[in-house]
Amino acid sequence: MSTIVLNVENHIAYLTIQSPPANALSSQIIKDLNELLDQIEENPTVKAIVLHGEGRFFSAGADIKEFTSLQAHSDYEKLAKNGQRVFQRLEDFKIPVIAAIHGAALGGGLELAMACHMRVVAENAKIGLPELNLGIIPGFAGTQRLPRYVGPAKAYEMILTGEPISGEEAVAFGLANQAVHEEKVLEAATQLAVKIAAKSRPTINQVMELVNYSRSDKFLKGVEAEAQAFGKVFGTEDAKEGVQAFIEKRKPKFIDK
Ligand SMILES: C/C=C/C(=O)SCCNC(=O)CCNC(=O)[C@H](O)C(C)(C)COP(=O)(O)OP(=O)(O)OC[C@H]1O[C@@H](n2cnc3c(N)ncnc32)[C@H](O)[C@@H]1OP(=O)(O)O
């Protein structure tokens, strides 16, 4: 069964993605995340959140196998909008969220991590937006958040080549706060959360509200355009080919249509 588990300890809420083998973000996981945010919101003791994944990866992205169950452009657009809405809620949260990333944060996995406020990564983690390898485009606001962190030149390179960067590179480009050995990721994220949890909750809440104003006005427009484009791109032959090639574990043959 795929899910996310919530565990609150010493003012820190741990959200653990448990969806083997890749912690792929199915619609169910995104729904579960939204419900757990309701629970955290109702808990006045929580002052910091650590989001991590059980098993080999933080998350390898949206559930590619679930894509094959959808048909209409509007279904894919809805899938993108739903993920964007929950990730936006996370970014707007009044409690800081630290993503603890090991293994891989790819596609929707990185988009989820980018909606968090801080990222602690494994030095050897694979971090990227590989959607174009599937003949599709990012759909959970990756085209809007990645340039914000790494600047447009690196964002173009990462999205257009689909190639991941390492945790160490992610720190160098401003995408992550610190890179540590993969076995120390959760511990390092917890240490950061403990420092935050020592502060007064009203001051934490105020900072979360204020830093959000630094976002560009065009961000939400860009996010909406991305969801529409995500739906449209699924109408191409190349999207069908890319998704099928992933499932069949072979290289896609794109025909530019
Ligand atoms: C709006 C958002 C859109 C998106 O997010 S689109 C998805 C973007 N993400 C990706 O394209 C990443 C795809 N996955 C990979 O590149 C690789 O996988 C990894 C680098 C994460 C790991 O590679 P390796 O160590 O060689 O393992 P493995 O055999 O490829 O994967 C292990 C199992 O995990 C499943 N899996 C991996 N990623 C996904 C996914 N995103 N959705 C559904 N399943 C996934 C595989 O199929 C396989 O499963 P089995 O063991 O049954 O063959």
Side-chain angles (χ1 to χ4, degrees):
M1 204 186 80
S2 66
T3 189
I4 304 193
V5 169
L6 170 64
N7 180 28
V8 180
E9 260 174 60
N10 299 326
H11 304 289
I12 302 169
Y14 291 87
L15 285 168
T16 310
I17 310 170
Q18 293 181 343
S19 179
N23 286 338
L25 302 172
S26 62
S27 312
Q28 184 61 47
I29 291 263
I30 289 177
K31 186 167 172 275
D32 292 347
L33 173 62
N34 197 37
E35 284 171 11
L36 291 174
L37 292 179
D38 290 340
Q39 283 187 36
I40 295 174
E41 232 166 24
E42 284 160 17
N43 184 334
T45 72
V46 174
K47 300 209 266 184
I49 300 169
V50 173
L51 172 65
H52 68 120
E54 203 171 80
R56 287 176 60 204
F57 311 112
F58 173 77
S59 168
D63 189 342
I64 299 171
K65 292 165 189 170
E66 191 181 0
F67 289 162
T68 57
S69 66
L70 305 179
Q71 302 289 334
H73 294 188
S74 56
D75 292 340
Y76 292 102
E77 186 177 331
K78 213 168 122 193
L79 180 141
K81 281 198 162 148
N82 190 42
Q84 289 179 350
R85 185 178 49 79
V86 176
F87 291 7
Q88 190 57 53
R89 180 177 180 205
L90 195 66
E91 187 169 63
D92 291 341
F93 225 57
K94 300 288 175 284
I95 306 286
V97 189
I98 302 164
I101 300 168
H102 74 290
L106 293 172
L110 176 57
E111 290 171 308
L112 172 60
M114 289 194 293
C116 297
H117 306 101
M118 288 157 276
R119 283 153 291 283
V120 173
V121 291
E123 291 149 346
N124 62 353
K126 282 186 178 175
I127 296 173
L129 294 178
E131 285 86 348
L132 268 69
N133 296 336
L134 298 168
I136 62 169
I137 59 168
F140 292 157
T143 60
Q144 304 305 299
R145 288 199 177 97
L146 187 61
R148 193 204 276 174
Y149 295 117
V150 303
K154 191 66 188 172
Y156 280 126
E157 182 188 326
M158 287 175 68
I159 299 171
L160 293 171
T161 66
E163 284 175 9
I165 58 172
S166 68
E168 280 178 330
E169 287 172 298
V171 173
F173 282 104
L175 180 55
N177 297 64
Q178 53 171 308
V180 296
H181 189 274
E182 63 182 333
E183 279 165 18
K184 298 273 180 198
V185 170
L186 194 52
E187 190 183 316
T190 298
Q191 279 170 6
L192 185 54
V194 166
K195 285 185 195 171
I196 295 167
K199 306 293 187 281
S200 155
R201 201 172 128 107
T203 61
I204 296 171
N205 295 159
Q206 281 301 333
V207 169
M208 298 313 293
E209 219 170 291
L210 291 167
V211 175
N212 267 347
Y213 281 109
S214 66
R215 273 192 236 140
S216 132
D217 293 346
K218 279 170 99 180
F219 176 76
L220 289 177
K221 263 194 175 162
V223 168
E224 195 178 337
E226 185 195 75
Q228 283 165 8
F230 184 80
K232 205 167 125 198
V233 92
F234 267 95
T236 65
E237 292 299 312
D238 283 344
K240 289 185 193 79
E241 164 64 7
V243 168
Q244 200 53 35
F246 176 81
I247 290 168
E248 292 169 11
K249 297 186 189 280
R250 60 172 173 81
K251 269 200 158 158
K253 287 192 202 106
F254 293 135
I255 56 166
D256 301 326
K257 278 193 225 157

